[in-house]
């Protein structure tokens, strides 16, 4: 009775001793090793493909995401390279660089400052009178004037004459405010406006005792002498184009012609310089100005130079 009731001894599962545990781990190890190998092949293939697409140059890394390898979209299929995110196009080359085999843009083209015109230093001393005439500008008896340009300067006498005509008829000029009336003629005249090379202008002005030093204009007993250099280049002290500076030349010298014999100076910092101020010699705090009157019709004046 006692032997029949004793429990039977337990048998271990999986065979002898510890072999059961070892045999259970071997298949899992193979799976993990296979997955690592497959991942390495996939990454290596993707890196090789990326290298080939960029022409042998590695893709530049930017930020933490780039350090972990090429960016992919969607799941990776074993045996195929990962799909890379679109890369931005390379920046364009600077426009200032000349393309191979293409000449640089010529001087004076868009984006380049045009060279100042060449001004002849001297001329023959002979003049061509403009064959041009115009209507009277202003009220009262007109002062008739003719325009002459020294030969060899390349300036059209007729074109210069009509430009001077427009200057004298300007709404802020002498004629518009009753200080004189003017009329362009090609024959007999009350005074002459001559445009001359610097050396010729010096000779004409020196005959009146005026030293213009190859730089300045003057008023003589015969009329006005305009230095070609100032006509073509303007003045370094004047804020504006040479065409705008011509207004100052004509208005200043014609101001002497109509009887204003004194020069004025700056009335105060930031104010417009009087047209009868020798602005080329310095503005003394004033703002350059080419007209005798302001936009409200007020005469722009200042202290008289002793």
């Amino acid at each position: 009775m006692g032997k029949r009731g004793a429990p039977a001894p337990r048998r271990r599962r999986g065979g002898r001793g510890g072999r059961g545990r070892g045999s259970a781990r071997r298949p899992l190890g193979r799976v993990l090793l296979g997955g690592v190998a497959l991942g390495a092949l996939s990454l290596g293939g993707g890196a090789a493909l990326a290298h080939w697409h960029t022409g042998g140059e590695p893709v530049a890394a930017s930020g933490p995401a780039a350090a972990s390898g090429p960016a992919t979209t969607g799941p990776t299929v074993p045996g195929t390279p990962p799909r890379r995110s679109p890369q931005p196009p390379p920046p364009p080359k600077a426009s200032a660089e000349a393309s191979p085999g293409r000449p640089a843009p010529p001087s004076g083209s868009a984006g380049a400052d045009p060279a100042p015109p060449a001004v002849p230093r001297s001329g023959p001393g002979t003049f061509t009178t403009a064959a041009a005439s115009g209507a009277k500008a202003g009220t009262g008896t007109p002062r008739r004037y003719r325009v002459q340009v020294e030969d060899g300067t390349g300036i059209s006498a007729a074109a210069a004459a009509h430009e001077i005509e427009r200057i004298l008829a300007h709404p802020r000029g002498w004629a518009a405010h009753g200080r004189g009336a003017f009329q362009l003629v090609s024959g007999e005249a009350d005074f002459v406006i001559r445009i001359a090379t610097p050396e010729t202008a010096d000779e004409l002005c020196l005959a009146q005792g005026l030293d213009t030093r190859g730089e300045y204009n003057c008023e003589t007993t015969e009329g006005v002498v305009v230095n070609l250099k100032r006509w073509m280049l303007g003045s370094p002290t004047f804020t504006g184009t040479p065409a705008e500076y011509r207004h100052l030349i004509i208005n200043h010298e014609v101001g002497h012609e109509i009887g204003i014999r004194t020069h004025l100076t700056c009335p105060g910092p930031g104010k417009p310089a009087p047209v009868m101020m020798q602005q080329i010699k310095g503005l003394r705090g004033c703002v350059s100005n080419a007209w005798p009157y302001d936009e409200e019709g007020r005469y722009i004046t200042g202290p008289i130079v002793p």
Side-chain angles (χ1 to χ4, degrees):
M1 293 290 294
K3 291 182 179 180
R4 187 178 299 173
R10 293 184 178 179
R11 298 177 61 184
R12 294 183 180 178
R13 295 180 181 177
R16 299 177 184 175
R19 283 179 89 176
R21 292 192 191 96
S23 61
R25 284 199 302 266
R26 187 174 294 121
L28 179 60
R30 292 175 181 172
V31 171
L32 290 176
L33 288 174
V36 171
L38 181 59
L41 288 173
S42 177
L43 288 175
L49 184 62
H51 186 77
W52 180 78
H53 275 300
T54 55
E57 297 178 359
V59 179
S62 59
S68 61
T72 61
T73 57
T76 301
V77 179
T80 61
R83 290 180 292 168
R84 301 173 66 248
S85 298
Q87 298 296 318
K93 292 184 179 180
S95 58
E97 297 178 358
S99 301
R102 181 179 299 176
S107 175
S109 61
D113 294 332
V119 180
R121 180 70 188 170
S122 62
T126 58
F127 291 81
T128 295
T129 299
S133 59
K136 181 181 73 171
T139 58
T141 303
R143 293 178 62 83
R144 296 170 299 170
Y145 65 95
R146 68 175 180 264
V147 175
Q148 296 180 335
V149 175
E150 187 172 4
D151 298 326
T153 61
I155 294 178
S156 164
H162 286 302
E163 184 170 1
I164 292 170
E165 182 183 26
R166 290 191 296 271
I167 291 172
L168 291 176
H170 193 278
R172 293 174 62 183
W174 300 116
H177 296 276
R179 297 295 294 268
F182 308 98
Q183 184 175 9
L184 172 65
V185 296
S186 58
E188 186 178 353
D190 298 302
F191 67 99
V192 181
I193 298 176
R194 292 189 177 100
I195 301 175
T197 58
E199 288 190 3
T200 301
D202 283 352
E203 292 176 5
L204 294 173
C205 296
L206 190 59
Q208 304 294 316
L210 303 171
D211 184 7
T212 48
R213 306 175 185 178
E215 296 291 336
Y216 308 135
N217 316 290
C218 75
E219 186 255 344
T220 70
T221 55
E222 292 184 344
V224 172
V225 176
V226 177
N227 188 311
L228 178 67
K229 182 178 180 181
R230 300 277 72 88
W231 182 267
M232 295 180 68
L233 301 181
S235 166
T237 62
F238 186 82
T239 304
T241 64
E244 293 171 328
Y245 186 70
R246 292 168 200 159
H247 284 74
L248 177 57
I249 295 173
I250 299 303
N251 286 323
H252 182 97
E253 301 304 337
V254 170
H256 288 315
E257 182 66 30
I258 63 177
I260 304 175
R261 298 299 173 187
T262 57
H263 284 134
L264 303 178
T265 189
C266 177
K271 295 184 178 181
V275 79
M276 296 311 299
M277 178 179 175
Q278 292 178 298
Q279 297 181 37
I280 193 173
K281 295 183 178 181
L283 295 174
R284 301 181 182 275
C286 270
V287 178
S288 58
N289 164 59
W291 297 279
Y293 296 86
D294 64 16
E295 294 180 353
E296 283 73 37
R298 295 172 297 200
Y299 181 58
I300 300 173
T301 186
I304 296 175
V305 177

